[in-house]
Amino acid sequence: MASFNKVILMGNLTRDPDVRATGSSGMKVARLGLAVNERRRDRNGQMQEFPVFVDVDAWDKLAELCGQYLTKGRSILVEGRLQMDSWEKDGVKHQKLKVRASTIKFLPQGDRLAGAPKAEVPVSVSMPESDPDDIPF
């Protein structure tokens, strides 16, 4: 059966990136929280924004760059794929759907990224795939 798994989201970071090293290989992984607003009419017919909160994982050099340049509130565009995270805690199984980033564009805002190259266009960083089973948390 054919399938296709690609996600493109644009929103604002809900917190500073959490960058850690994996246990066995020492590869970096950054966890990002992204808020994406969905505009739709409420029950009274008024246009409202409804936030959708998405967890995003970035790996390797992309993780390092996110930790170096991104902060809470920064606008980004993420391209990646959906991935199911499963774990067991206190005998209870848990699952969470998240996005594994392949490209993150640091979108320009009022001031440019601290230390980032001066550019009139968004800064885009892509990384090759890494081992998803090598997550420290």
Side-chain angles (χ1 to χ4, degrees), residues 73-119:
R74 175 66 61 186
S75 295
I76 62 172
L77 185 136
V78 175
E79 292 182 49
R81 61 183 170 83
L82 291 175
Q83 180 176 316
M84 184 64 73
D85 194 9
S86 302
W87 70 97
E88 188 173 328
K89 183 175 181 181
D90 299 328
V92 179
K93 293 182 180 181
H94 300 273
Q95 289 186 324
K96 184 174 194 172
L97 196 58
K98 61 183 176 182
V99 174
R100 183 184 174 114
S102 57
T103 301
I104 295 180
K105 293 185 181 184
F106 304 163
L107 300 178
Q109 291 184 235
D111 60 330
R112 67 184 187 92
L113 299 171
K118 188 172 184 177

Side-chain angles (χ1 to χ4, degrees), residues 43-97:
R43 292 180 181 177
N44 300 322
Q46 301 295 316
M47 287 302 289
Q48 296 286 326
E49 288 192 0
F50 296 90
V52 176
F53 299 100
V54 181
D55 288 330
V56 178
D57 283 352
W59 287 84
D60 203 23
K61 184 67 173 170
L62 181 56
E64 293 175 22
L65 293 170
C66 287
Q68 185 176 359
Y69 294 114
L70 296 179
T71 58
K72 179 181 177 178
R74 175 66 61 186
S75 295
I76 62 172
L77 185 136
V78 175
E79 292 182 49
R81 61 183 170 83
L82 291 175
Q83 180 176 316
M84 184 64 73
D85 194 9
S86 302
W87 70 97
E88 188 173 328
K89 183 175 181 181
D90 299 328
V92 179
K93 293 182 180 181
H94 300 273
Q95 289 186 324
K96 184 174 194 172
L97 196 58

